[in-house]
Amino acid sequence: MTTPFKTCLLIDDNYIDNFITRRVLESSNFAEKIIVRQSPMEAIESLRDGSVDPDVIFLDIRMPLMSGFEFLQEYDGLEIAKKGIKIYMLSSSLDPTDMKQSSDNKHITQFIHKPLTVKALEEICQ
């Protein structure tokens, strides 16, 4: 796979999930640069101050202090939200409410079940 994206932001509080997802992203040459934020609040700050300028974001739902959906509410108020960044909800949730809320959110491109796979990345890049 050629590198379709310049910068990928991964937002997930789970170290192991981040490790696995990062390895899949790296082995697939998905992005030139992969940035990980274990806190949605840190991610918002990075987006707000311009230190991170992603083409694509992988976002977990269930995180302490701020959920993925709460992140999206904050994100919606940022200038960068107008850039058309692809956001993929990457979650182990099987809750139909989460999937419905993801599909109804204007910023979410697709809901993807963890773990992220090479096949899922290939589908994204088609």
Side-chain angles (χ1 to χ4, degrees):
M1 181 187 309
T2 60
T3 309
F5 295 101
K6 184 173 183 206
T7 304
C8 175
L9 175 60
L10 173 59
I11 307 168
D12 194 327
D13 65 307
N14 186 299
Y15 176 82
I16 300 295
D17 287 345
N18 285 335
F19 179 80
I20 293 167
T21 301
R22 183 180 197 119
R23 292 296 302 246
V24 171
L25 291 167
E26 288 172 345
S27 69
S28 299
N29 292 319
F30 185 75
E32 292 174 25
K33 187 178 355 178
I34 300 163
I35 299 168
V36 178
R37 293 291 184 264
Q38 286 189 262
S39 157
M41 291 165 296
E42 286 177 29
I44 287 291
E45 196 51 46
S46 295
L47 293 168
R48 184 177 286 127
D49 69 18
S51 62
V52 175
D53 185 18
D55 306 293
V56 64
I57 296 172
F58 288 96
L59 176 65
D60 188 23
I61 294 175
R62 307 248 189 271
M63 295 178 279
L65 306 178
M66 179 185 276
S67 73
F69 294 116
E70 291 167 330
F71 167 87
L72 291 167
Q73 289 173 342
E74 290 289 320
Y75 173 83
D76 195 45
L78 300 177
E79 190 63 30
I80 198 168
K82 298 174 185 162
K83 287 183 69 174
I85 297 166
K86 293 183 180 287
I87 301 178
Y88 295 91
M89 192 62 86
L90 181 62
S91 178
S92 56
S93 173
L94 298 175
D95 185 343
T97 306
D98 288 340
M99 288 180 248
K100 172 89 169 94
Q101 196 172 353
S102 293
S103 67
D104 291 347
N105 188 288
K106 67 181 179 183
H107 296 294
I108 300 294
T109 302
Q110 182 181 348
F111 185 101
I112 300 172
H113 286 283
K114 286 182 185 178
L116 184 64
T117 63
V118 172
K119 184 175 190 276
L121 291 177
E122 288 170 352
E123 290 172 5
I124 286 171
C125 295
Q126 289 180 354

